[in-house]
Amino acid sequence: MSLTLRKLEAADLAAITEIAKRSLILDPVVEDVVAEKTVAAPDRFPELGIVAEKDGSPVGFVQGACGIGASDLHRGYIRLMAVDPHHQRRGVGSKLLEELEHRLRERGVTEVSVMDVPQNYFMPGLDFRYTSGVCFLLRHNYAMVHENHNMLCDITPDRWGDLDAQAQQLTADGLSIERAAPTDWESLSGFLLEHWPAWVQEVGRALSNTPPGVFVAKRGDRVVAFAAYQGNNRALSWFGPMGTTPECRGKGIGALLLRLCLRELARQGWKQAIIPWVGPICFYARFCDAWLDRCFWVYRKKL
Ligand SMILES: CC(C)(COP(=O)(O)OP(=O)(O)OC[C@H]1O[C@@H](n2cnc3c(N)ncnc32)[C@H](O)[C@@H]1OP(=O)(O)O)[C@@H](O)C(=O)NCCC(=O)NCCS
């Protein structure tokens, strides 16, 4: 039977989640996360979601994305891609990729990058152990440009003592440390736009969680530091991002905000937290005993 390509729809979610589970075997694949990367993505690109079908059944899919920040407006992405293991090595992946590249080119994209979509990513690159993925990308003339890493750390609700008392101590210095509220968005988004514009979407999503997944340090109404969790990959034990304004660094604010977020993940029942796409490795090693875990290779190709 011939292979057909069609638009990826919400009704495909269960089927593509099964495909992703079978082929992305190094990852915790759950339907909520697949939805967040495809049909329910806050940065949705419906025409860049493509399903490959044989005999009326999905056998593979790709979801693309485009850069939305000033530094990556020219860039398109493979956000998520998988072919059912029973149908691999038969040209399904190639057909999906060629169609995605064609659609990206039509949008004016001049470079494709693999998985490291700043605003909404599943992995910050391809885990190098996905050997089939590496061979596939090389076959399609992608070149590895750099590595990204995730860290892991063990968490329990009381691992770092009385964090509320520690927050009170910092308050004496004219600061307040608290869980952010939706009303903080104006100050928080302004702070992000000034220092880390690529994180506005992710932190906005974390803030919209119930309860809001952001802790902030403020001077008056002005946010001077923040840490977030589950703004991305909500269904996983996902920390980040975080940032402290340069003049407030070195006072223990970042460490406290980090631990407040990790305590929330522990309270949800998680035993470990994922600290993705780092970043200041030694900071996390020191303040939450995190260790380097997965390594992701970022592949790119000029169109
Ligand atoms: C990567 C993946 C999507 C490729 O899908 P596919 O349908 O098997 O790809 P194709 O059949 O079009 O393969 C095209 C070429 O890629 C290379 N390739 C693909 N899989 C390979 C493998 N396991 N070993 C060696 N080369 C491989 C080959 O050159 C192949 O051509 P050939 O079969 O004529 O030698 C699929 O293997 C997969 O789902 N892997 C796990 C998930 C993953 O890595 N996703 C990220 C992809 S960016």
Side-chain angles (χ1 to χ4, degrees):
M1 259 290 172
S2 65
L3 186 70
T4 53
L5 299 185
R6 62 167 176 77
K7 189 175 172 194
L8 194 162
E9 310 272 7
D12 294 313
L13 206 47
I16 65 171
T17 300
E18 282 311 307
I19 291 171
K21 273 184 184 166
R22 284 198 289 271
S23 60
L24 292 164
I25 54 170
L26 304 170
D27 281 273
V29 176
V30 291
E31 191 169 305
D32 280 356
V33 171
V34 176
E36 189 188 282
K37 303 302 152 215
T38 57
V39 292
D43 59 332
R44 181 131 191 249
F45 298 94
E47 76 283 14
L48 302 181
I50 311 167
V51 165
E53 228 172 39
K54 267 186 192 165
D55 299 332
S57 298
V59 293
F61 72 97
V62 65
Q63 176 66 59
C66 285
I68 59 171
S71 62
D72 69 348
L73 277 177
H74 66 294
R75 197 172 286 150
Y77 296 91
I78 301 172
R79 173 146 54 208
L80 191 59
M81 176 173 193
V83 171
D84 189 302
H86 292 115
H87 297 273
Q88 290 181 8
R89 298 301 292 269
R90 292 179 206 170
V92 177
S94 297
K95 196 157 178 187
L96 283 166
L97 182 61
E98 280 153 23
E99 181 60 25
L100 176 67
E101 287 178 349
H102 168 71
R103 293 185 191 188
L104 288 172
R105 211 177 278 116
E106 280 192 329
R107 290 177 66 112
V109 160
T110 56
E111 183 180 55
V112 186
S113 192
V114 179
M115 303 188 98
D116 61 331
V117 195
Q119 70 270 10
N120 180 9
Y121 61 97
F122 179 59
M123 297 184 231
L126 180 68
D127 186 316
F128 72 99
R129 294 170 296 171
Y130 283 119
T131 310
S132 58
V134 169
C135 295
F136 174 75
L137 292 169
L138 292 174
R139 171 74 182 76
H140 286 276
N141 301 318
Y142 281 72
M144 202 270 238
V145 290
H146 61 256
E147 293 181 352
N148 289 323
H149 303 96
N150 283 2
M151 298 179 85
L152 282 181
C153 70
D154 291 329
I155 52 176
T156 59
D158 52 4
R159 174 148 190 211
W160 292 288
D162 188 343
L163 295 179
D164 302 309
Q166 293 167 33
Q168 280 301 317
Q169 279 165 15
L170 283 174
T171 304
D173 199 23
L175 284 163
S176 63
I177 308 257
E178 60 203 38
R179 189 190 285 279
T183 47
D184 289 315
W185 182 236
E186 199 179 325
S187 174
L188 180 56
S189 59
F191 175 71
L192 290 167
L193 282 169
E194 188 185 341
H195 297 281
W196 299 284
W199 290 342
V200 171
Q201 280 223 347
E202 189 178 352
V203 178
R205 288 201 301 275
L207 191 70
S208 72
N209 285 346
T210 309
V214 186
F215 285 87
V216 285
K218 296 199 285 190
R219 261 188 218 291
D221 285 340
R222 197 166 64 86
V223 171
V224 293
F226 79 99
Y229 62 96
Q230 291 173 325
N232 199 7
N233 297 319
R234 253 179 200 161
L236 305 179
S237 181
W238 205 260
F239 171 78
M242 69 175 293
T244 301
T245 191
E247 66 267 22
C248 291
R249 290 183 191 165
K251 300 179 195 299
I253 297 171
L256 182 58
L257 293 172
L258 162 71
R259 291 171 175 176
L260 284 165
C261 290
L262 296 178
R263 181 175 70 174
E264 293 308 309
L265 291 170
R267 284 175 172 169
Q268 289 177 12
W270 298 100
K271 303 283 180 244
Q272 286 190 328
I274 300 166
I275 305 174
W277 205 336
V278 289
I281 292 169
C282 300
F283 170 81
Y284 294 115
R286 178 165 173 207
F287 292 109
C288 60
D289 299 308
W291 61 90
L292 278 162
D293 180 50
R294 299 177 70 181
C295 174
F296 303 91
W297 290 355
V298 176
Y299 282 88
R300 292 206 175 134
K301 172 171 147 180
K302 298 274 181 224
L303 284 185

